[in-house]
Amino acid sequence: MNRGEDRTPALGSVSPALEQRLQELWEGEGGLKGVLSTVDHKKIGLRYIVTAFVFLLLGGIEALIMRLQLAGPDLRLLGPEQYDQLFSTHGMTMIFLYAGPVLSGFSNYLWPLMLGTRDMAFPRVNALSYWIYLAAGIFVYVGFLGGNGPNDGWFNYVPYANRDYSPGMGEDFYALGMVLLGTSTTLGAANFIVTAMRTRAPGMSINRVPILLWGTLTANVANLLVVPAVSLAFFLLWMDRQFGTHFFDVRAGGQPLLWQHLFWIFGHPWVYAIVLPAMAFVSDGLPVFCRRPLVGYPLVALSTVATMILGFGVWVHHMFATGLPALGMSFFSAASIAIVVPSAVAVFSWLATIWHGRPVVTTAFMFFASTIILFVLGGVSGFMTASVPVDWQLTDTYFVVAHLHYVLIGINVFPVVGALYFWFPKMTGRLLDERLGRWNFWLMFIGFNVGFLPMHLTGLLGMPRRVYTYGPDMGWNTLNLVTSIGAFILAVGIVLLLVNVLKSRRGGAPAGANPWDAHTLEWSIPSPPPPYNFAVIPAVASRHPLWEGYLDEELRSSLDRGLLLDQAKESLGTSPLDALPDMILRMPEDTVAPFVLTIGLGVLFAGLIAKSWGLALVGGIVLTAALVVWLWPRRELREREAVRG
Amino acid sequence: MSASVDDIPEAGGQGRGGPASKRVVVGYGFWIFLLSDIIMFATLFASYAVLAGATAGGPRSQDLFRPGSVALETAFLLASSFVCGMATLAVERRNQRWTQAALLLTGLLGAGFLTLEIREFASLVERGAGPSRSAFLSAFFTLVGCHGLHVTAGLLWLGTMMAQFLAKGFRQNIRHRYLCFSLFWHTLDIIWVAIFNLVYLVGTTPYV
């Protein structure tokens, strides 16, 4: 009998014997070795989410300390140098270590479940992406806690960041940390793209995928195209600082504006990359609570892609005040205004979905619905700064700070918390507490708006961002006090979220497979899902495999009967657009190689920052050894049987 | 034991075997990952273009570059890419001897390229035109040096591929790795063509 990867898999139905067999094949080891060696996307996804939330809390504490300092005029809780490090680390933490990775975490956890497959396309690369992300986070925080945080803002402009003006090691930790994180993001992006294109369940053609696939796929194509630019820019900065090159050094012909271009050619697409998947949470979650499919699915899918494409051409709006030629600026200004159109498509689609639906108001619904309001507010203030003359008035004031927090908290944190309420039952088998959820929502929503709405005025009254204190007669006192109060209310809301998670993880109401009566594939399997996800590979015939009974009067998707892949750790590969069955994918066993490789990489980077080439060499050797173990040809099933005779 | 699919040539070159298989997820993933490498080089090209005239009173490209030596380098690398293509044909025919011979020649030509590049760098540094002389030279050394590092990594990878074919034969997963290697090697060739044109040809065009 042919048992190789070239066979045609048999059809079969879900049965206890099958589940038992798959459990044995897919279940990972326990203990420390299991923790370090797992390649299960669900465990890796949860790790991403938990780690990102730890960084959210760290960044939040940094924000609260800054708000204490700014609560009144002439306060001296922090000195200027401490304040500089604090706001730079706050920005770096929230943008790089929270906002991007938390979305990778959700997509890592959800994609294979939504797409009807058993893991990501490259599970070991997935583990490697997570470990490197963790290493990069630890790396920059080691610098910060040792008094070497970045202190030139998260966009780290030269010449401030040159060695002459920042002689400490703070910028070096930031620069090398970002190179490390860039590796993780790029590897993850390639993995997401291949997973999206080659592993969807048969029948899930590209027009039947959940919007989260569009959001995360688009974001990761962008990551793949722009993250290398910023990694390289940080690497060049490090060489300028440590090895006497002159990329950004005016005295030897270098160009400070080159830094700004390289940073923002990454930075602005990245802004879309950290909101598009979160907008997709809303597009996928809102319809479930509105009890009807998303209005205008094709338009929302296409506008997601359109936003990203336009998003590549708007970066210069961060540089309107640098004296670039007017003609160039007008193009970027026009693009920045035009990008409102695809964003508005999503907003109107969500509004229409609520309008035409019969909303069931849950905490998740409230977080998703409030995203619409905050998105509009943050969008309008962004649209204002897209106009060059207005931008000249507003740039580097608190108006911009208000705008970016409306966008990043409004379209990242709020939908992420909504997504947590929505998918927590799938992850743990328990529902989050709804009563606590209401308190959680209203405290966050009120606190956020009390904090950040007045900030627009503070900015219009001329308060520059990044000042460590201000005089009493500037007219900013009351507004700043209100903002600080709002920040603390928001923080209480976040604490309630943590309380709810800790309380409900064990003691919440049991959820069952599909507590919300939702329509996508992840709700067709038990909560929490078994290690192999799907006992048989489902065949999908619509956008709403679990709602076909309501919508089409005829069940067309086949969830309990499908292709059997139970002879080894295997999954199904399908064609990119139509998702026709194409091949059997042999999935890798658990391995510590990604973890060891990351240790090697970490030691290598520690050697680089300390300029200890011996240490860097040791790191390089460990890294190479891990790579050899990783690539060591595994013994094929056929060979094992031949040996046994 | 019956013949497995690994023993059947995919295409023998005489119209047998049908079209080449597209069932290669590893190659697809690597190809996508290579895009990020290309973006990194694009960024380096952009930086070089901005800084190419920023000589800070130091030597200009016209004073430094020697077209003859660079032409020889280019010939080595292009020939190496061609021989790498021959190796791919030999792998498809499962011919161990030709595979090893072609890969060895690929490596030798690559090493020749690298030797010439290192000599060029050494001579520049000797003449006081090192990477810290001016922003132009910082950009030049980083762009061309980054390509050189990629070629070095490629040579090490090539060695391991030869060893794997020798020790384990033409197994499917090793052939998939070889596919990734050849993609990598040809990509370096494409990038070099851009370097040759934008750095050396433009850089040695006399001012008019």
Side-chain angles (χ1 to χ4, degrees):
Chain A
M1 192 177 82
N2 187 353
R3 301 184 63 184
E5 280 140 57
D6 52 312
R7 72 181 196 275
T8 304
L11 277 170
S13 300
V14 180
S15 70
L18 173 66
E19 287 173 347
Q20 176 66 28
R21 207 156 52 237
L22 286 166
Q23 182 77 23
E24 281 163 17
L25 279 169
W26 284 81
E27 194 170 31
E29 277 186 71
L32 184 64
K33 179 145 186 273
V35 171
L36 298 180
S37 67
T38 186
V39 295
D40 183 342
H41 74 96
K42 296 181 287 298
K43 292 182 186 160
I44 294 169
L46 288 178
R47 283 175 192 181
Y48 257 110
I49 295 172
V50 170
T51 314
F53 266 97
V54 169
F55 283 118
L56 177 73
L57 294 183
L58 289 172
I61 292 167
E62 288 150 16
L64 292 181
I65 299 174
M66 287 191 285
R67 283 322 310 178
L68 280 178
Q69 164 88 0
L70 294 175
D74 283 332
L75 294 179
R76 290 289 189 274
L77 178 69
L78 299 165
E81 169 60 20
Q82 287 168 313
Y83 188 84
D84 288 353
Q85 284 202 21
L86 215 54
F87 78 69
S88 305
T89 306
H90 166 76
M92 171 192 80
T93 306
M94 292 306 205
I95 289 174
F96 291 116
L97 300 176
Y98 159 75
V102 79
L103 300 178
S104 297
F106 273 100
S107 295
N108 242 314
Y109 187 91
L110 291 170
W111 264 29
L113 304 180
M114 285 180 152
L115 304 183
T117 184
R118 287 177 175 161
D119 207 324
M120 300 284 285
F122 304 114
R124 292 178 295 186
V125 174
N126 202 21
L128 181 65
S129 300
Y130 170 74
W131 290 122
I132 298 181
Y133 154 56
L134 182 65
I138 293 173
F139 188 82
V140 288
Y141 261 83
V142 164
F144 174 62
L145 296 175
N148 290 307
N151 60 4
D152 304 309
W154 73 279
F155 42 76
N156 212 41
Y157 277 177
V158 292
Y160 296 137
N162 283 352
R163 204 174 181 180
D164 295 340
Y165 302 101
S166 292
M169 283 168 75
E171 302 311 319
D172 300 316
F173 270 106
Y174 188 27
L176 289 178
M178 285 303 108
V179 174
L180 205 50
L181 186 65
T183 318
S184 155
T185 315
T186 313
L187 287 170
N191 202 353
F192 275 122
I193 294 170
V194 179
T195 305
M197 288 300 168
R198 300 311 300 265
T199 69
R200 305 194 310 272
M204 191 184 276
S205 51
I206 198 77
N207 57 345
R208 289 177 182 160
V209 297
I211 294 288
L212 183 60
L213 187 118
W214 287 104
T216 307
L217 176 63
T218 312
N220 278 289
V221 170
N223 282 344
L224 192 77
L225 297 181
V226 297
V227 169
V230 82
S231 297
L232 185 83
F234 272 109
F235 186 74
L236 299 182
L237 176 68
W238 180 64
M239 292 215 302
D240 263 17
R241 290 174 54 82
Q242 299 298 335
F243 298 98
T245 58
H246 304 290
F247 288 95
F248 310 117
D249 172 16
V250 195
R251 285 167 306 184
Q255 288 275 4
L257 272 191
L258 178 63
W259 169 269
Q260 294 197 20
H261 278 293
L262 292 184
F263 188 89
W264 288 119
I265 207 170
F266 148 83
H268 209 89
W270 172 263
V271 173
Y272 293 105
I274 60 182
V275 298
L276 287 174
M279 287 166 68
F281 294 158
V282 181
S283 298
D284 284 335
L286 206 53
V288 171
F289 297 106
C290 293
R291 313 308 301 154
R292 62 148 296 138
L294 181 69
V295 174
Y297 170 97
L299 288 174
V300 175
L302 291 176
S303 71
T304 306
V305 179
T307 306
M308 199 67 247
I309 291 172
L310 282 173
F312 285 120
V314 300
W315 82 88
V316 168
H317 70 214
H318 296 271
M319 302 166 60
F320 281 160
T322 52
L324 292 170
L327 183 65
M329 286 203 292
S330 59
F331 277 108
F332 283 94
S333 176
S336 307
I337 291 169
I339 206 163
V340 173
V341 175
S343 310
V345 168
V347 167
F348 284 115
S349 155
W350 297 333
L351 289 177
T353 306
I354 298 177
W355 189 262
H356 283 285
R358 280 174 294 179
V360 182
V361 180
T362 61
T363 309
F365 174 84
M366 294 170 91
F367 273 104
F368 291 146
S370 65
T371 300
I372 306 176
I373 303 168
L374 303 179
F375 185 17
V376 170
L377 284 169
V380 167
S381 60
F383 177 73
M384 289 163 75
T385 46
S387 156
V388 178
V390 181
D391 182 75
W392 282 347
Q393 295 300 312
L394 298 176
T395 192
D396 268 342
T397 69
Y398 263 86
F399 189 88
V400 173
V401 182
H403 159 68
L404 77 92
H405 283 89
Y406 262 90
V407 177
L408 291 180
I409 297 182
I411 337 178
N412 185 298
V413 178
F414 273 77
V416 160
V417 177
L420 197 62
Y421 274 89
F422 185 42
W423 279 295
F424 188 83
K426 183 49 62 187
M427 295 166 177
T428 62
R430 304 274 178 176
L431 288 156
L432 282 169
D433 187 82
E434 278 290 316
R435 224 168 81 91
L436 209 51
R438 297 307 157 97
W439 281 96
N440 174 195
F441 169 75
W442 284 113
L443 281 171
M444 275 182 70
F445 188 75
I446 293 169
F448 173 71
N449 284 296
V450 168
F452 288 94
L453 211 52
M455 219 183 241
H456 292 98
L457 283 178
T458 328
L460 288 172
L461 292 175
M463 178 162 170
R465 65 196 288 197
R466 298 177 171 170
V467 290
Y468 85 107
T469 190
Y470 51 90
D473 44 7
M474 304 297 288
W476 305 333
N477 304 0
T478 319
L479 289 170
N480 270 302
L481 184 64
V482 172
T483 293
S484 291
I485 292 169
F488 277 86
I489 299 175
L490 174 62
V492 175
I494 299 267
V495 170
L496 279 191
L497 172 68
L498 291 183
V499 171
N500 202 350
V501 166
L502 293 176
K503 188 167 109 49
S504 306
R505 200 164 65 94
R506 303 229 184 275
N514 192 358
W516 314 114
D517 195 9
H519 57 81
T520 38
L521 283 181
E522 77 269 29
W523 302 105
S524 70
I525 52 174
S527 320
Y532 49 86
N533 296 354
F534 295 88
V536 297
I537 305 296
V540 175
S542 75
R543 260 173 224 154
H544 319 282
L546 274 61
W547 275 5
E548 284 167 2
Y550 306 147
L551 298 170
D552 301 331
E553 296 167 8
E554 175 186 15
L555 298 171
R556 292 180 295 148
S557 298
S558 170
L559 305 176
D560 295 334
R561 190 171 163 73
L563 295 176
L564 280 179
L565 292 169
D566 59 339
Q567 300 181 4
K569 218 176 160 187
E570 290 172 336
S571 189
L572 188 71
T574 49
S575 62
L577 296 181
D578 298 324
L580 300 172
D582 197 11
M583 67 189 129
I584 297 175
L585 300 175
R586 179 67 199 276
M587 306 309 276
E589 300 295 329
D590 286 358
T591 164
V592 291
F595 177 73
V596 178
L597 201 156
T598 307
I599 295 284
L601 205 57
V603 173
L604 174 67
F605 272 70
L608 291 181
I609 195 110
K611 283 189 159 186
S612 152
W613 309 126
L615 193 62
L617 186 69
V618 171
I621 291 169
V622 174
L623 193 153
T624 314
L627 211 54
V628 169
V629 172
W630 184 321
L631 294 175
W632 201 260
R634 61 166 194 256
R635 191 172 279 227
E636 302 284 336
L637 192 63
R638 286 189 292 280
E639 289 176 338
R640 255 182 275 169
E641 295 195 339
V643 170
R644 262 186 245 142
Chain B
M1 199 183 137
S2 64
S4 85
V5 69
D6 281 3
D7 305 327
I8 306 165
E10 273 162 15
Q14 283 93 34
R16 287 199 305 264
S21 171
K22 288 181 185 167
R23 296 177 161 191
V24 186
V25 170
V26 179
Y28 183 51
F30 189 74
W31 180 229
I32 286 170
F33 185 69
L34 269 184
L35 263 178
S36 73
D37 225 29
I38 289 176
I39 296 291
M40 195 184 72
F41 275 105
T43 313
L44 280 168
F45 276 116
S47 308
Y48 179 81
V50 169
L51 301 173
T55 53
R60 298 170 308 165
S61 55
Q62 283 84 350
D63 312 327
L64 295 172
F65 298 157
R66 290 177 181 151
S69 160
V70 182
L72 194 58
E73 262 183 271
T74 309
F76 275 169
L77 201 63
L78 292 186
S80 162
S81 217
F82 175 76
V83 183
C84 180
M86 303 301 281
T88 308
L89 293 179
V91 168
E92 278 181 18
R93 292 181 171 213
R94 311 288 189 273
N95 187 325
Q96 185 69 259
R97 193 176 302 166
W98 277 108
T99 302
Q100 294 291 342
L103 286 179
L104 182 67
L105 191 55
T106 305
L108 287 177
L109 288 165
F113 164 85
L114 211 54
T115 314
L116 286 176
E117 183 161 278
I118 291 167
R119 275 177 47 187
E120 187 202 11
F121 278 13
S123 110
L124 286 176
V125 173
E126 224 167 73
R127 284 183 280 164
S132 50
R133 177 62 192 84
S134 63
F136 150 61
L137 283 163
S138 299
F140 167 78
F141 274 95
T142 312
L143 170 60
V144 181
C146 187
H147 178 269
L149 279 178
H150 276 71
V151 174
T152 314
L155 285 178
L156 294 175
W157 190 357
L158 178 71
T160 65
M161 284 319 307
M162 289 171 72
Q164 288 181 63
F165 278 134
L166 205 58
K168 298 275 175 181
F170 296 96
R171 286 189 357 188
Q172 195 190 31
N173 56 352
I174 298 179
R175 280 184 289 128
H176 285 174
R177 278 175 203 171
Y178 174 73
L179 175 72
C180 295
F181 165 77
S182 61
L183 283 173
F184 181 71
W185 199 251
H186 294 309
T187 304
L188 294 186
D189 215 45
I190 294 168
I191 291 167
W192 181 259
V193 170
I195 292 182
F196 179 74
N197 282 292
L198 296 176
V199 176
Y200 289 104
L201 277 190
V202 172
T204 49
T205 307
Y207 290 120
V208 279

